[in-house]
Amino acid sequence: QVQLVESGGGLVKPGGSLRLSCAVSGVSFSDYYMSWVRQAPGKGLEWVSYISSSTGLTTYADSVKGRFTISGDNAKKSLYLQMNSLRVEDTAVYYCARDEGSEPLNCWGQGTLVTVSS
Amino acid sequence: EIVMTQSPATLSVSPGERATLSCRASQSVSSNLAWYQQKPGQAPRLLIYATSARATGIPARFSGSGSGTEFTLTISSLQSEDFAVYYCQQYIKWPRTFGQGTNVEL
């Protein structure tokens, strides 16, 4: 059974940094296709970033481009989201999800809360 | 970016009734349309992909239809566990975009 577990969320001041992790189990991680999706409190879903290990493609929402970096580690079976220059509007629950072209966002983690506040 | 618009924002139904949710795309997404269900305090769950294919474990009372710019999610006979927020999402172009959600309530 595939399981995704996010960690690394917390309270950070505007302008600060955080690195989120997503540990993957129950499935091979040699080739991975993964996204980060976030949800601000009481709001809808916003796709943030995607990575394909097979093509090397990474892509970002305009709202985070140049500030966030997605990456993965096959050996550790983990996905990461490095978040720099954080803004108040980045406050959200961040979910990692498997994102295969044929079946998008087919498995989600439980989410980790990031709060950006002074 | 492709803008996804869902209607209605809130749908009030009774158990056993049929629910029809709509999703419109600002440009054609072909059949690259998915639906997700989210219950309070939980992560979203994939229900439907490729417009009409049910994800693993999804009951047959959930069905999707449409193409191009107009899509529908139908729940044929609402069960108590189906009261939730439903989101559509296009995945033909980057950035992936979601609709604002439809809250299906009792």
Side-chain angles (χ1 to χ4, degrees):
Chain A
Q1 181 181 345
V2 182
Q3 195 170 13
L4 308 179
V5 179
E6 301 94 336
S7 60
L11 175 63
V12 62
K13 288 183 167 50
S17 298
L18 273 180
R19 188 173 88 148
L20 305 184
S21 299
C22 171
V24 180
S25 60
V27 68
S28 170
F29 204 62
S30 55
D31 281 330
Y32 53 88
Y33 311 86
M34 304 284 292
S35 276
W36 288 97
V37 176
R38 68 184 180 183
Q39 186 170 37
K43 302 296 184 183
L45 302 172
E46 179 188 15
W47 171 82
V48 172
S49 183
Y50 168 84
I51 184 168
S52 163
S53 66
S54 63
T55 65
L57 171 69
T58 60
T59 184
Y60 301 90
D62 285 347
S63 57
V64 306
K65 201 172 294 182
R67 300 187 299 122
F68 290 11
T69 302
I70 191 171
S71 63
D73 186 323
N74 299 60
K76 294 185 177 179
K77 297 187 72 175
S78 291
L79 175 74
Y80 305 102
L81 186 68
Q82 177 67 43
M83 304 186 297
N84 298 331
S85 302
L86 281 161
R87 305 168 180 168
V88 170
E89 55 265 34
D90 294 320
T91 294
V93 174
Y94 285 73
Y95 298 99
C96 64
R98 292 180 71 200
D99 193 352
E100 292 145 341
S102 57
E103 198 169 338
L105 303 176
N106 58 69
C107 183
W108 298 62
Q110 85 290 349
T112 187
L113 176 62
V114 172
T115 303
V116 185
S117 174
S118 55
Chain B
E1 71 177 43
I2 299 176
V3 177
M4 307 300 292
T5 303
Q6 291 185 241
S7 61
T10 301
L11 185 62
S12 299
V13 293
S14 299
E17 288 187 339
R18 181 185 191 91
T20 302
L21 289 66
S22 296
C23 175
R24 173 176 291 178
S26 61
Q27 60 185 267
S28 178
V29 300
S30 186
S31 62
N32 298 283
L33 191 285
W35 291 92
Y36 303 86
Q37 177 194 66
Q38 187 178 32
K39 297 179 182 178
Q42 295 185 18
R45 174 175 70 147
L46 177 66
L47 293 177
I48 301 284
Y49 63 95
T51 297
S52 59
R54 277 189 300 277
T56 302
I58 301 304
R61 64 180 181 272
F62 291 92
S63 63
S65 63
S67 67
T69 62
E70 301 281 345
F71 300 89
T72 300
L73 174 69
T74 302
I75 312 171
S76 59
S77 177
L78 266 154
Q79 306 298 302
S80 57
E81 62 266 30
D82 300 335
F83 292 98
V85 179
Y86 293 83
Y87 295 94
C88 62
Q89 181 220 18
Q90 65 80 18
Y91 54 98
I92 194 171
K93 281 189 177 179
W94 305 105
R96 311 280 210 219
T97 45
F98 292 91
Q100 79 279 21
T102 291
N103 181 24
V104 176
E105 65 173 24
L106 184 62

